[in-house]
């Protein structure tokens, strides 16, 4: 499998957008399992417990002037996994990402891809393909200006309606 989003983000010059549309990902993630057991280690106060290579990459990109935005389209009530993502988002924000949430019912009239994706600098798209149980099966990199533009338009339509993380109250 090709390298994850970290590599193209480390080369980004202007923008990186990420749209997530799934309600469940691989439930074997160790951080998720710890959270289910009541450990809530991902707060800004105990950064040493959660700061990873991804956070360093985001922070470096933001320091270079790259705008890093993440939007999640979610079903309500939230699945347990998405509740964990909401709690864990504090780490993304601490690294410099801007995160927003859009309840799926408010996206019914939007043209949104059925897969998660990234677009870097308006050019390179990275699609994440998952199995039904949320296991990542493929990362597909596509250099197609037309497809990237469509993804950007879809992302922006979600972004405009979505609620900033600090204001979104999970249902």
């Amino acid at each position: 499998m090709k390298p994850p989003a970290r590599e193209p983000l480390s080369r980004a010059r202007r923008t990186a957008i990420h749209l997530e549309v799934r309600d469940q990902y691989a439930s074997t993630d160790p951080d998720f399992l710890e959270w289910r057991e009541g450990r809530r280690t991902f707060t800004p106060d105990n950064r040493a417990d959660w700061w990873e290579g991804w956070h360093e990459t985001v922070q470096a990109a933001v320091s270079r002037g790259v705008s890093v935005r993440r939007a999640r389209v979610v079903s309500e009530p939230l699945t347990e996994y998405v509740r964990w993502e909401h709690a864990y988002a504090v780490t993304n924000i601490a690294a410099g990402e801007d995160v927003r949430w859009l309840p799926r019912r408010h996206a019914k009239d939007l043209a949104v891809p059925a897969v998660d994706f990234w677009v870097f600098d308006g050019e390179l798209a990275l699609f994440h393909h998952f199995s039904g149980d949320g296991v990542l099966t493929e990362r597909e990199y596509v250099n197609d200006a037309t497809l990237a533009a469509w993804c950007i338009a879809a992302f922006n339509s979600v972004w405009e309606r979505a609620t900033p993380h600090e204001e979104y109250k999970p249902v």
Side-chain angles (χ1 to χ4, degrees):
M1 201 176 289
K2 288 186 178 182
R6 192 177 303 169
E7 183 180 310
L9 180 57
S10 70
R11 294 189 313 264
R13 298 173 315 280
R14 299 177 312 279
T15 60
I17 59 172
H18 187 194
L19 182 66
E20 295 176 304
V21 296
R22 293 186 56 89
D23 287 322
Q24 181 69 39
Y25 296 88
S27 59
T28 57
D29 183 302
D31 291 328
F32 170 65
L33 296 175
E34 287 179 8
W35 177 83
R36 285 181 74 191
E37 294 170 5
R39 286 193 61 216
R40 306 277 196 287
T41 60
F42 29 84
T43 63
D45 295 342
N46 57 359
R47 180 172 157 158
D49 287 343
W50 53 260
W51 191 262
E52 301 171 348
W54 172 250
H55 302 104
E56 291 170 1
T57 303
V58 171
Q59 186 177 51
V62 171
S63 295
R64 289 192 314 276
V66 176
S67 168
V68 181
R69 298 184 296 158
R70 177 187 305 255
R72 291 187 169 121
V73 178
V74 296
S75 298
E76 293 180 326
L78 300 181
T79 63
E80 185 178 36
Y81 194 94
V82 174
R83 284 186 179 284
W84 169 68
E85 285 189 314
H86 184 269
Y88 196 77
V90 68
T91 67
N92 301 86
I93 293 164
E97 285 189 42
D98 194 358
V99 179
R100 292 189 182 183
W101 303 81
L102 181 65
R104 196 170 307 283
R105 71 179 177 279
H106 297 305
K108 65 184 170 289
D109 60 336
L110 300 179
V112 177
V115 297
D116 291 7
F117 67 82
W118 281 91
V119 177
F120 302 95
D121 289 334
E123 300 166 1
L124 175 66
L126 166 56
F127 296 96
H128 290 167
H129 300 286
F130 294 89
S131 64
D133 59 355
V135 175
L136 181 65
T137 59
E138 179 186 0
R139 291 182 180 104
E140 179 185 9
Y141 293 84
V142 179
N143 275 306
D144 179 320
T146 302
L147 184 57
W150 186 80
C151 287
I152 292 166
F155 178 89
N156 286 337
S157 69
V158 168
W159 189 258
E160 289 171 11
R161 290 188 187 177
T163 303
H165 177 79
E166 300 76 23
E167 298 171 23
Y168 180 71
K169 304 300 178 226
V171 176

